[in-house]
Amino acid sequence: MRSLACEGFPELWFEVPLAGEPWLDLHVATWHDSLRAGASFNPASCGGLPKVFEWFVSQDSRARQLILSWDVSPGALDQPAVHMLRKSRDTQLVCDFLRVAGRQDAAQAYRAFEERLPKEWFACYSGVFPQRTVPFLRVECIPNGKLQKLYANDQSLLAEHLAQVGLAELGETLLARCQILAASPFKLEFQFDVTPEGAAGSTFSASVRFEAPVKGLTQGTFNPQGEAGELMRQLEEWGLADDRWRQLAGTTFSKRLKGAGESCLLWCYPAFVKLKWRDGVPVDAKTYLVASVTE
């Protein structure tokens, strides 16, 4: 109930570790087109952030989703992080979002960070963590398909671009493992925790996205016997995953529900796998299950 900002059902992202102690974080994404123009918002049902939602609904289609990210650890549910996914390159849109989220300093840091980005990267996702001090700004970037192929064959180019955005420590595994991700058939994304000066902080993540299933969400690109399974077995060899990843194929489902003359499709699938480093040292790997209801 803390994240049901509108009558439409949101998109849910379940963040799950692939090794170690089991836990779960929850990200609730509200689509821009699911909100009515001029709608008012109850703080209790929008993460205590009505002004952010009021701003979001007033924007045009460049603003794609507003996301409340909940750490469900004991004692950590008081205030969510808030992020925005956008459709187009618009620096001012992101800066306005960060300001209305209460972080003018994050807007300044974001602008400086964006100036560092290779022109082939698209910063699709930005957000702030109210309970964090430094760094508190997170930005996710997607290199275009041509550049991803270049990264798969040229480690020096990848190192050059990571240095360009300010990532100081690459360690012994980061470049080689990112190359393996880049060589996969899945879309590559990079995630940074950005310092107040607008440079990449010590924590860096690289992820690949499995395409949404098709034909009623009964089939998708996460195939444990195919290239996705090959990638997950590689993570297991690196010690970043145990055999729980083999359960991911069973999370893909779709079911049409009918009632009162109407129907909707309930669905879920594994959408991402993400690797994280801190100061160049591997930290963990996670998967993200995405679920929602559509017509």
Side-chain angles (χ1 to χ4, degrees), residues 159-180:
E160 176 186 334
H161 284 173
L162 292 176
Q164 179 176 323
V165 299
L167 191 64
E169 298 291 339
L170 299 180
E172 298 179 355
T173 66
L174 190 152
L175 290 176
R177 291 179 181 180
C178 284
Q179 272 196 294
I180 290 174

Side-chain angles (χ1 to χ4, degrees), residues 271-291:
F272 290 93
V273 61
K274 182 171 80 173
L275 281 62
K276 180 185 288 187
W277 290 262
R278 187 170 294 116
D279 292 318
V281 177
V283 177
D284 58 24
K286 303 171 186 175
T287 189
Y288 291 76
L289 307 179
V290 175

Side-chain angles (χ1 to χ4, degrees), residues 213-219 253-256 265-267:
V214 295
K215 296 183 180 178
L217 300 162
T218 57
Q219 296 178 344
F253 75 90
S254 62
K255 183 175 183 179
R256 183 156 293 280
L265 188 69
L266 175 65
W267 53 264

